[in-house]
Amino acid sequence: TASGIGSGLDINSLVSQLVSSESRPLNLLKAQEKTVNAKISAYGQLTSALSTLQTSLKGLSASGLASCTASSSATSVTASASTGAVPGNYAVVVSQLAQSHKLISPGQASATASLGAGTLSLAVAGGTPVMLSPATNSLNDIRDAINASGLAVTASIVADGSANGQRLVVSGKDSGAANAITLTGTGALAAFSYDPAAPVSFGYDGSGNPPTVMSQTQAAQDAQLTIDGVKVTSSTNTVAGAIGGVTLKLTQAANAPVTVSVDRDASATKASVNAFVKAWNDLKSWVGTQTAWNDTTKTGAVLHGDSSPASAISQLRSTMSKAVAGAGSFSVLSDLGVTFQKDGTLAVSDARLQSAIDNHPSDLVALFAGSDGIVNRTGALLTNMLGDGGLINARTTGLSASLRDLGRRESSEQARLDAIERRYRAQFTRLDAALSSMQSTSTYLSQQLASIAKNS
């Protein structure tokens, strides 16, 4: 920055201008790099649009198109449908709900006082008994030992407000007749014994006194129901599989027929078809925008002149338009009311699609999800396009290689410019020194001539 201080030359400006005039090749390389980066970014967006179309095909699978909904005529039974459900009506009568086992102990005066020496073991569902180890054999300690047993039970203390009103309540976590609780007590804990084979029901005698032995407040039992007259038993109130693809949830034993209806889910099918159409239209619109030519500005979009996006659209449309064998009433998309427009986008006739769903559901599934269906063919093509060595991958690989080559050429060009700048700066520095020396000589001579003139 101090160059030119002797001569007054603006060396930095001169060097900068000269180097700038030499920079045209580097600027061209950077412009090309910007264009290649824009194309790589555009291909990333194209990949995303193709992937979205690929994802939309999942909704057109056999299970997706054959989905059903289930409803019930009463709140005592609710129903939901999943894969495998078949349209139909079923008469369901619930006579008994499933419930878990609940036991209550004889009343004690204190929940904290030890009841005396004795042992107590616990078993659930006829399994291996677990020996409990209460600290002091008090109700509280027995409760804690049961909760720490690791078995599917919980224990708590309930007080009825009487002098001997402290009671241990043991509840099973799982419903069903098989999940009954067994307690075996000895010594001072013998009254806590309970054998499901000889059940004792909780109740007060004529004098209003509760039982003095372990008794059940709720029996372990299965749900019992009939479906179109067929008896069904379930350990829970959620009954899955009794009707193929349908799950029933029982909330009340009404002993009255409830109609469960399973119907084809037309709204889900329409949503899947429309999602596919939207994905295609978004892809077609994006390709059109990115490959367009502007006559006004005489400029092309990022991918103008690039044949790969148009080739992808052409291949996909050809695959989607090809007739499907074995689809009964349908062979092409337009038979369902899904038609290609003049601009290459798809449009859906809701009325024709609804008619296909109502009248020929299996043929609709075959058109999309059959072995020769649109989903398999289009999915295979998209997988190929997006995979290693595919249309998109090959193009992006080529662009990436071009980008690396441009980077190498830019580095080489920048090195050339750096060398030119150093040469110019050295030359101007020598010129500055020469001019400074000349100016010093000129000043000396002027002074000598002035002195001679004065003395003469």
Side-chain angles (χ1 to χ4, degrees), residues 138-158:
S138 68
L139 286 186
N140 284 348
D141 287 338
I142 295 172
R143 174 200 62 196
D144 295 342
I146 290 174
N147 290 332
S149 68
L151 299 178
V153 294
T154 58
S156 59
I157 304 296
V158 174

Side-chain angles (χ1 to χ4, degrees), residues 105-187:
S105 74
Q108 304 295 329
S110 170
T112 58
S114 175
L115 301 176
T119 63
L120 186 63
S121 65
L122 170 68
V124 179
T128 303
V130 172
M131 186 62 67
L132 304 177
S133 301
T136 64
N137 279 353
S138 68
L139 286 186
N140 284 348
D141 287 338
I142 295 172
R143 174 200 62 196
D144 295 342
I146 290 174
N147 290 332
S149 68
L151 299 178
V153 294
T154 58
S156 59
I157 304 296
V158 174
D160 65 14
S162 66
N164 294 309
Q166 300 291 329
R167 300 177 181 279
L168 176 72
V169 176
V170 182
S171 303
K173 293 181 180 179
D174 301 321
S175 61
N179 292 309
I181 299 168
T182 301
L183 283 167
T184 304
T186 65

Side-chain angles (χ1 to χ4, degrees), residues 208-394:
N209 298 313
T212 57
V213 294
M214 202 73 176
S215 54
Q216 67 177 12
T217 58
Q218 181 172 286
Q221 65 183 33
D222 294 330
Q224 294 182 3
L225 62 154
T226 62
I227 301 175
D228 288 343
V230 178
K231 292 183 178 181
V232 176
T233 300
S234 171
S235 62
T236 71
N237 291 316
T238 299
V239 183
I243 301 174
V246 177
T247 298
L248 304 176
K249 290 189 176 181
L250 316 178
T251 59
Q252 182 181 354
N255 280 305
V258 174
T259 300
V260 172
S261 301
V262 181
D263 301 297
R264 189 74 66 187
D265 191 352
S267 61
T269 299
K270 288 182 180 179
S272 295
V273 172
N274 283 314
F276 166 70
V277 168
K278 182 180 185 303
W280 168 260
N281 289 346
D282 288 347
L283 171 64
K284 182 68 177 65
S285 174
W286 185 90
V287 169
T289 300
Q290 298 300 317
T291 58
W293 171 261
N294 190 316
D295 281 331
T296 302
T297 62
K298 304 301 180 183
T299 58
V302 175
L303 297 180
H304 176 72
D306 194 322
S307 62
S308 295
S311 175
I313 290 292
S314 176
Q315 291 180 53
L316 286 166
R317 176 167 179 170
S318 175
T319 297
M320 290 156 54
S321 301
K322 183 181 176 182
V324 175
S329 304
F330 310 126
S331 61
V332 291
L333 277 172
S334 58
D335 293 337
L336 302 176
V338 181
T339 55
F340 280 102
Q341 307 301 290
K342 290 182 179 180
D343 62 357
T345 60
L346 287 170
V348 181
S349 167
D350 189 75
R352 290 180 64 185
L353 180 58
Q354 183 66 58
S355 176
I357 294 170
D358 293 339
N359 300 313
H360 304 285
S362 59
D363 293 345
L364 181 147
V365 172
L367 179 71
F368 281 112
S371 58
D372 184 47
I374 292 170
V375 170
N376 285 345
R377 293 194 316 222
T378 307
L381 178 58
L382 285 168
T383 298
N384 179 267
M385 284 183 178
L386 296 170
D388 293 342
L391 178 69
I392 306 303
N393 180 265

Side-chain angles (χ1 to χ4, degrees), residues 186-208:
T186 65
L189 303 184
F192 290 85
S193 297
Y194 185 87
D195 183 0
V200 176
S201 298
F202 177 79
Y204 292 86
D205 61 21
S207 303

